Amino acid sequence: DPLLGPAYSEKQYAENGRDFVPGFVINGDPDADGVLRIVTLGGSTTDGVQDDQSWPQQLHERLAERGVRSVVFNGGVSGYGSAQEMLKLIRDVLPLKPDLVITYDGVNDVAPPPLDVPAPIVHPYLKSIVEHAVRGPDSWILPNLVSLLGRNLYSQPKVELVPSSTPFGSSAESWARNVRIMNAICTEFGIRYLDFLQPVLGVGSYRSSAEEMQRIHKSDSCRKSYSSFYTEARSIADLFDYIVDATDVFVDAKDVYRDFCHVKPAGNYAVSVRIIDNLSRLGWLHARRIARDTSRPSLAVVPAGGL
């Protein structure tokens, strides 16, 4: 994706058995009338292509159990942080005319080295893609020798990211700024918005099992980065009614994590329940009665396995 970096092709959606419109896995009928239209954004912990029991899918299923008709457009992509969510919201989400946008983020905004880049909104994966494109493909004839000659005999094109002219503050401040911008955009377009500060192992009151502690390892420097980010981010979340601190969502659960941030299906279930509880408390479990463009053409969902 020229703007966001990582993205899924139509082939990848089909290979993973997902109904989709470009950029979104679809749960429900996007052309149905009178249904609650939800867009979810996030990174790999939201991604609906790779995870066949993602929390957005479970959100759709749990809503159905409560008699709420919905369609969930899952725009999560592995690696995305709040900056990519913001850009995707501007470009891809607004045309969907959703009733509600839910972002689920935090982990990918920590950006510990070597993922950190001097231009805050530039995705580190996008930087890698551009560097590969500038360098050109590897030779299929004696690739190591050709690479060596290229490095020593020819000047190599270089991608240099020009740092922002103004400081963006800490990682938590950058995350909060992006979330506030997304809320402002949604408010301007009559869309409800909630951000959930996602849980991560080692933050909050969740008690790790012995198996988790043995299996999941993070360096002390990474743990300090996440601890610093979440300490500040949780304080910021308390200041805004559209940011939900969900770091304690697993407080009563056991053996939830697959790694330091990805969870098992039971964890995604707990996340979907927490989100529905918040929507219910706010009275948001219904489609908004706002004027819509009735001439909106069909979104032409591509069914799984057929292009």
Side-chain angles (χ1 to χ4, degrees), residues 41-55:
L41 297 173
S44 57
T45 52
T46 298
D47 193 318
V49 176
Q50 302 296 332
D51 189 348
D52 61 0
Q53 297 188 60
S54 65
W55 68 260

Side-chain angles (χ1 to χ4, degrees), residues 9-238:
S9 66
E10 294 184 354
K11 181 180 179 181
Q12 288 170 301
Y13 285 110
E15 286 178 344
N16 286 275
R18 304 290 187 264
D19 292 345
F20 70 96
V21 295
F24 299 89
V25 172
I26 303 296
N27 295 282
D29 181 0
D31 292 317
D33 293 325
V35 301
L36 180 63
R37 297 170 65 84
I38 301 173
V39 169
T40 63
L41 297 173
S44 57
T45 52
T46 298
D47 193 318
V49 176
Q50 302 296 332
D51 189 348
D52 61 0
Q53 297 188 60
S54 65
W55 68 260
Q57 178 178 329
Q58 296 212 35
L59 174 65
H60 174 69
E61 294 171 356
R62 301 292 81 74
L63 287 171
E65 291 173 357
R66 296 179 62 137
V68 178
R69 297 171 59 232
S70 70
V71 55
V72 177
F73 301 84
N74 183 359
V77 177
S78 294
Y80 281 11
S82 60
Q84 286 65 54
E85 296 165 17
M86 177 182 67
L87 296 171
K88 190 175 180 72
L89 169 66
I90 294 169
R91 188 189 67 182
D92 299 338
V93 173
L94 295 180
L96 297 176
K97 296 181 170 61
D99 299 297
L100 170 66
V101 169
I102 299 172
T103 52
Y104 182 78
D105 49 26
V107 168
N108 289 341
D109 282 87
V110 180
L115 292 181
D116 200 14
V117 293
I121 293 182
V122 176
H123 194 289
Y125 294 170
L126 177 57
K127 180 175 181 288
S128 298
I129 293 169
V130 173
E131 287 175 339
H132 177 78
V134 170
R135 184 176 67 247
D138 294 330
S139 170
W140 61 275
I141 301 175
L142 301 174
N144 293 334
L145 176 60
V146 171
S147 177
L148 178 64
L149 292 173
R151 287 197 304 269
N152 289 279
L153 299 180
Y154 304 99
S155 61
Q156 293 294 302
K158 183 180 180 181
V159 175
E160 180 178 352
L161 291 178
V162 178
S164 171
S165 59
T166 56
F168 268 60
S170 67
S171 295
E173 289 173 330
S174 294
W175 163 78
R177 182 182 295 105
N178 293 332
V179 170
R180 293 177 66 185
I181 291 172
M182 287 188 281
N183 177 68
I185 293 169
C186 288
T187 299
E188 174 65 22
F189 284 86
I191 301 167
R192 293 163 172 159
Y193 174 76
L194 277 180
D195 177 88
F196 288 82
L197 178 60
Q198 69 183 107
V200 62
L201 188 64
V203 172
S205 302
Y206 173 78
R207 293 187 177 182
S208 305
S209 68
E211 187 275 337
E212 281 176 317
M213 293 299 293
Q214 184 176 12
R215 173 171 47 85
I216 302 170
H217 174 73
K218 277 287 180 183
S219 68
D220 288 341
S221 61
C222 281
R223 291 184 185 276
K224 288 179 181 178
S225 295
Y226 286 108
S227 177
S228 176
F229 172 88
Y230 270 91
T231 297
E232 186 176 1
R234 296 181 77 184
S235 296
I236 292 172
D238 291 339

Side-chain angles (χ1 to χ4, degrees), residues 281-298:
R281 176 177 56 82
L282 292 168
W284 288 2
L285 293 178
H286 59 81
R288 300 194 73 176
R289 293 182 175 86
I290 58 176
R292 295 194 181 280
D293 180 5
T294 56
S295 65
R296 174 175 58 86
S298 170

